[in-house]
Amino acid sequence: MLANTFDLLYDTIMHPHQAFANITQRPFNREAVLAFILLVVLSSLAGVGLVGGGALALVGISLLSGAAGMFFWSAILHLTVTLLGADGDVRGLLRALPFAQFPQAFASFLPILLLWIPSIEVTGIVGILSAALTIWALYLQVLAISINYRIDISRAIIAFIIPGVALFFFILALIGLMIFSFFSALTADPTIWQQLPQDLPGMPF
């Protein structure tokens, strides 16, 4: 299983179209789980190297939160693609995502170089490499969507972007609702203005 996982990771980097066609159509469930564990462990160890702390606890928390996030993200993408009229199995996407996101594990290790070689030049190189690996991981996720649901890249990009855009506008709506509620309360009860200097003694009223 470990050898198959590394072979699939290699194919994801060197032959991504062939790799995702293989991963999404065949039951590589154990390999996908192992790829996910490797992704989380490597990213967590990079975090330990940067900020210190208990590696075991960080890995455990990261595994739980990462698994929940992976299932949630797969479900959201599957729903979005389905609404766009495509057809596919969410299990194929769920198997493909750990492999597609694996470049981010390497990106998480790059800032450690700044601990060994703190310089402006190295900072620039780390930033460029991190951006390149992140873009590569995003591309691989879009490609996995395209292959799993048999849609073109442009529709896969739209399906990938829609959840982020929807979340952005949802957050904006929440902020707007909070602001509206605050000023509605001030309008309904003008005495709140008189209480603000007492509630906020550091503010210059």
Side-chain angles (χ1 to χ4, degrees):
M1 181 176 67
L2 183 61
N4 286 341
T5 302
F6 284 119
D7 287 341
L8 291 171
L9 285 171
Y10 173 81
D11 289 340
T12 300
I13 297 173
M14 302 304 297
H15 313 287
H17 287 81
Q18 177 183 341
F20 287 131
N22 198 13
I23 293 168
T24 56
Q25 300 302 319
R26 297 177 61 185
F28 287 114
N29 297 322
R30 293 181 299 176
E31 288 80 1
V33 171
L34 184 55
F36 168 75
I37 292 174
L38 289 173
L39 169 64
V40 172
V41 169
L42 290 175
S43 301
S44 300
L45 292 178
V48 171
L50 286 172
V51 301
L56 186 60
L58 182 59
V59 170
I61 294 173
S62 299
L63 283 173
L64 292 175
S65 60
M70 189 72 72
F71 278 103
F72 179 76
W73 182 233
S74 298
I76 291 296
L77 288 176
H78 179 73
L79 176 62
T80 305
V81 176
T82 302
L83 291 175
L84 291 175
D87 184 29
D89 191 347
V90 68
R91 291 173 295 182
L93 179 63
L94 194 57
R95 287 193 296 268
L97 284 181
F99 293 95
Q101 295 178 3
F102 208 82
Q104 294 177 329
F106 298 108
S108 63
F109 271 95
L110 290 176
I112 297 179
L113 293 175
L114 298 176
L115 299 178
W116 298 337
I117 315 173
S119 66
I120 297 178
E121 292 79 7
V122 174
T123 301
I125 294 173
V126 166
I128 293 172
L129 291 177
S130 296
L133 288 170
T134 300
I135 292 173
W136 179 241
L138 294 176
Y139 166 73
L140 290 178
Q141 292 181 70
V142 170
L143 183 61
I145 296 170
S146 173
I147 293 175
N148 185 64
Y149 294 96
R150 297 177 294 277
I151 58 177
D152 56 67
I153 287 291
S154 60
R155 290 177 68 191
I157 291 175
I158 294 173
F160 187 81
I161 291 176
I162 284 177
V165 174
L167 179 61
F168 173 76
F169 282 107
F170 177 72
I171 293 174
L172 281 183
L174 284 180
I175 295 174
L177 181 61
M178 292 173 60
I179 294 174
F180 176 78
S181 300
F182 175 74
F183 282 103
S184 295
L186 291 179
T187 303
D189 186 5
T191 60
I192 294 179
W193 285 109
Q194 301 173 3
Q195 298 174 2
L196 284 177
Q198 301 174 5
D199 298 335
L200 302 172
M203 297 297 292
F205 288 96

